[in-house]
Amino acid sequence: MTGVIYARYSSDSQREESIEGQLRECKEFAEKNGITILNTYIDRALSAKTDNRPEFQRMIKDSAKGLFDVVIVWKLDRFARNRYDSAHYKAILRKNGVKVTSARETIAEDSTGILLESLLEGYAEFYSAELSEKVIRGMTENALKGKYNGGSLPVGYTVDSEQYYQIDTHTASSVLEAFKRYDKGATIADLVRWLNSKDIRTNRSLPMSIDCVKRMLHNRRYIGEYSYRDVVQPGGIPAIVPQDLFDRVQARLEKNKKAPARFKAKEELYLLSLKLYCGLCGAFMIGESGTSHTGRIHQYYKCSTAKHKKTCPKKTVQKGWIEDLVVTETVKMLMDDAVVEYIADLVMELQERENVDLPRYKAQLAETETSIENMLNAIQQGIFNSSTKQRLDKLEAEKDDLKVKILQEEMQRPLLTREQVLFWICRYRKLDVTKPEQRQRLIDGFVNSVYLYDDKIILTFNYKKGCKTISLHDIMETVNRSDTCATGAPSKDVGLDTTSKPRKAQ
């Protein structure tokens, strides 16, 4: 197999050494599993809560070239701390024939491994959210006191030793003059040239630009208003620009503002991508949309074989109907207490089986302690020489080293209690299934595959024996036929034909 390594550290409490440690363990994992490393992708001081990471995006793009089979990360939270991003980009990698594997978290290849991986990703997202709450709490306190919260300082201000804003006498007069000039008719380009001629620089020592001047003219801190999230403090910092001058500048900016660009239409999310299969030929059913002669947009799923090769007779199916059905059945499954207890048992069994390092360290520690005890018994019987002492010292050092390794392993990958597992599974019961992103989380976490036949649907969930067959005949008696058909846009494939005799499932 060929693979690449993706490493990342955030800006909160980690350093360059964190990257070196990740790379070392990923390379050891690759060597142990016979994976040839072709490249490494490293994002420094970037959070995994966002997918706006240059090397991460380059890796996703390179996966389409078919050069590597696996992406190795130190832990899953290095890949993403946002479960939607994690599911989205893993789906792209799977489509390109690439899987994501963790060097420190051994996840099984069977369906229960998907559930454990979902729980681990959930904990990573919870940790990230909790850390964010603590940071926001501290920064809110700073804002209430009018203290500097980090980031780029506006031109005209400095910060004292106690992190309070102070006026920079060298640049504040130029800021005030810029406001006056704009109020009298100068353009933003005029202000850029004038400020640069006076050698006014940003607080990053860069020349002034049009964007910098625009932000300056809009910045309400120049009238002494300090805002952070929901906190707005009038008079929170020293003012540079009078209120009446600032208001006249805002009025002129509004008047000169160009019409905003039209936003692009939001891309439709197909929740069952890479999970919905044609029951007749086994191929993926892919999401498509089209506009009917009435101008109405229709979304539906179509068998990829029927689309590209025209050799499968499977009809298209209306997107909303099949997704609603899968979501409803998944919620029903989660509402069954017996099923939840069964899943919790599987997860407990699985995590005990998959943490290979911790049991090995504990077994080695038990053997070492037995050897030490035997040595002490020998000493009590009068057998003691220089070799005995050297051997005893070596065993004591091994014992201390193993205890450290066990503590590190337990800290880095704590075992979930059964109560924690039940808590996280039951949280899915409270999802708002009217929201697309929460519907997606539900499906990604629990649905393994959906096979659509002409007379039935087979739903497979991410746990052993988690399979359910639903008769379409029973569904048709409770819903209108138009709810299940992709009528309108797909002119040739009218939709799920519920009036003909069911075709025998293959």
Side-chain angles (χ1 to χ4, degrees):
M1 292 181 68
T2 56
V4 298
I5 296 173
Y6 176 72
R8 176 196 64 80
Y9 74 89
S10 56
S11 58
D12 36 272
S13 61
Q14 296 170 306
R15 299 168 298 179
E16 184 67 28
E17 291 87 341
S18 302
I19 291 291
E20 300 304 322
Q22 292 177 44
L23 294 178
R24 183 180 65 254
E25 295 200 31
C26 288
K27 288 176 180 177
E28 290 173 357
F29 176 88
E31 184 177 354
K32 185 169 64 175
N33 290 274
I35 301 172
T36 302
I37 299 299
L38 301 181
N39 196 8
T40 58
Y41 301 85
I42 301 172
D43 282 316
R44 291 174 170 83
L46 290 172
S47 171
K49 289 192 294 183
T50 173
D51 61 353
N52 187 20
R53 291 171 270 153
E55 286 295 286
F56 180 82
Q57 291 297 339
R58 188 165 74 89
M59 176 190 71
I60 298 297
K61 184 177 179 180
D62 289 348
S63 70
K65 300 176 182 178
L67 298 177
F68 52 88
D69 308 306
V70 60
V71 173
I72 303 174
V73 294
W74 180 60
K75 283 189 174 183
L76 291 175
D77 63 1
R78 300 299 92 187
F79 186 81
R81 277 186 177 169
N82 177 302
R83 277 183 288 180
Y84 174 78
D85 285 345
S86 178
H88 174 67
Y89 286 106
K90 283 180 182 178
I92 294 176
L93 290 173
R94 282 198 301 270
K95 183 179 179 181
N96 294 334
V98 179
K99 69 175 182 178
V100 178
T101 187
S102 168
R104 295 290 297 170
E105 299 160 322
T106 307
I107 306 297
E109 296 292 336
D110 59 13
S111 60
T112 47
I114 299 174
L115 184 59
L116 179 59
E117 183 175 346
S118 177
L119 289 170
L120 290 172
E121 290 173 348
Y123 262 96
E125 187 176 6
F126 172 76
Y127 168 79
S128 179
E130 185 182 39
L131 180 62
S132 177
E133 288 174 2
K134 290 179 180 177
V135 171
I136 289 172
R137 191 181 306 123
M139 295 180 78
T140 300
E141 287 299 316
N142 281 346
L144 290 170
K145 297 174 182 177
K147 285 189 173 184
Y148 175 58
N149 255 335
S152 179
L153 278 168
V155 178
Y157 287 104
T158 59
V159 175
D160 63 20
S161 59
E162 295 183 356
Q163 299 299 298
Y164 286 102
Y165 281 82
Q166 301 295 339
I167 292 178
D168 181 358
T169 55
H170 174 65
T171 57
S173 59
S174 297
V175 171
L176 178 58
E177 181 63 24
F179 272 84
K180 290 178 178 179
R181 285 175 177 247
Y182 188 78
D183 181 42
K184 293 177 181 179
T187 65
I188 290 179
D190 293 336
L191 296 182
V192 171
R193 288 190 291 269
W194 178 75
L195 288 166
N196 284 328
S197 71
K198 293 183 66 65
D199 200 29
I200 301 298
R201 295 288 187 265
T202 69
N203 280 286
R204 295 181 179 178
S205 299
L206 298 174
M208 301 300 290
S209 65
I210 288 178
D211 286 339
C212 289
V213 174
K214 283 182 178 179
R215 286 194 295 271
M216 175 191 291
L217 296 177
H218 282 289
N219 196 336
R220 299 185 63 85
R221 295 198 180 188
Y222 289 121
I223 57 173
E225 181 179 291
Y226 185 9
S227 63
Y228 172 73
R229 297 175 69 88
D230 296 332
V231 177
V232 178
Q233 289 280 82
I237 61 176
I240 294 176
V241 179
Q243 180 74 56
D244 58 341
L245 173 59
F246 185 85
D247 290 341
R248 292 197 302 271
V249 167
Q250 301 314 300
R252 185 169 178 229
L253 286 169
E254 184 67 25
K255 182 179 179 181
N256 294 339
K257 185 172 64 175
K258 295 181 180 179
R262 183 175 300 173
F263 290 103
K264 293 182 179 179
K266 185 178 179 181
E267 182 180 354
E268 186 65 33
L269 185 65
Y270 288 85
L271 304 181
L272 298 178
S273 293
L274 303 179
K275 291 184 181 287
L276 181 60
Y277 295 84
C278 172
L280 302 185
C281 69
F284 279 124
M285 295 192 72
I286 56 179
E288 286 196 342
S289 64
T291 305
S292 66
H293 66 280
T294 62
R296 181 182 176 188
I297 297 176
H298 298 261
Q299 287 93 29
Y300 53 97
Y301 288 94
K302 185 173 185 177
C303 171
S304 56
T305 302
K307 174 179 174 64
H308 298 296
K309 299 182 180 179
K310 313 296 183 185
T311 57
C312 180
K314 189 75 190 81
K315 304 293 185 180
T316 55
V317 62
Q318 201 265 348
K319 172 184 178 295
W321 173 77
I322 186 68
E323 290 179 354
D324 287 344
L325 176 62
V326 172
V327 168
T328 300
E329 293 300 326
T330 306
V331 170
K332 286 182 182 178
M333 179 270 294
L334 284 173
M335 292 300 175
D336 188 334
D337 290 337
V339 171
V340 171
E341 295 285 344
Y342 174 68
I343 294 175
D345 290 339
L346 287 178
V347 173
M348 296 302 295
E349 176 188 346
L350 184 65
Q351 69 173 353
E352 290 286 350
R353 189 171 71 240
E354 289 194 340
N355 194 333
V356 293
D357 291 334
L358 188 59
R360 186 176 78 249
Y361 293 150
K362 287 183 175 180
Q364 290 174 355
L365 178 62
E367 292 174 3
T368 303
E369 289 176 336
T370 300
S371 298
I372 290 174
E373 186 177 352
N374 292 337
M375 292 290 293
L376 293 175
N377 290 334
I379 292 172
Q380 288 177 351
Q381 294 173 11
I383 304 173
F384 185 79
N385 51 43
S386 59
S387 298
T388 305
K389 184 178 185 305
Q390 290 178 359
R391 176 60 179 161
L392 185 60
D393 289 343
K394 184 178 179 181
L395 288 171
E396 289 288 354
E398 289 178 359
K399 176 182 175 181
D400 292 340
D401 182 56
L402 286 168
K403 284 185 175 180
V404 170
K405 287 182 177 179
I406 289 171
L407 286 173
Q408 289 176 336
E409 189 68 21
E410 289 176 341
M411 289 175 64
Q412 292 171 356
R413 191 187 177 195
L415 294 178
L416 306 179
T417 65
R418 198 171 191 281
E419 289 73 21
Q420 288 173 322
V421 173
L422 287 170
F423 169 75
W424 280 99
I425 295 175
C426 290
R427 281 191 67 185
Y428 283 90
R429 292 177 172 179
K430 299 179 180 179
L431 291 180
D432 184 354
V433 294
T434 64
K435 296 180 178 179
E437 65 276 8
Q438 300 204 26
R439 289 160 67 91
Q440 186 76 69
R441 284 175 58 185
L442 185 71
I443 290 174
D444 287 341
F446 292 95
V447 178
N448 184 277
S449 58
V450 181
Y451 282 85
L452 178 62
Y453 296 84
D454 281 350
D455 61 338
K456 63 183 178 182
I457 295 175
I458 297 179
L459 261 169
T460 305
F461 298 109
N462 285 326
Y463 65 92
K464 294 178 182 178
K465 301 179 182 178
C467 187
K468 183 173 185 179
T469 301
I470 306 167
S471 169
L472 289 179
H473 176 74
D474 297 336
I475 298 173
M476 301 313 165
E477 292 181 350
T478 59
V479 299
N480 188 286
R481 179 181 183 276
S482 63
D483 292 335
T484 65
C485 297
T487 58
S491 57
K492 293 184 179 179
D493 293 327
V494 176
L496 190 65
D497 188 356
T498 61
T499 58
S500 60
K501 294 181 179 179
R503 185 181 287 102
K504 184 178 179 181
Q506 297 177 353

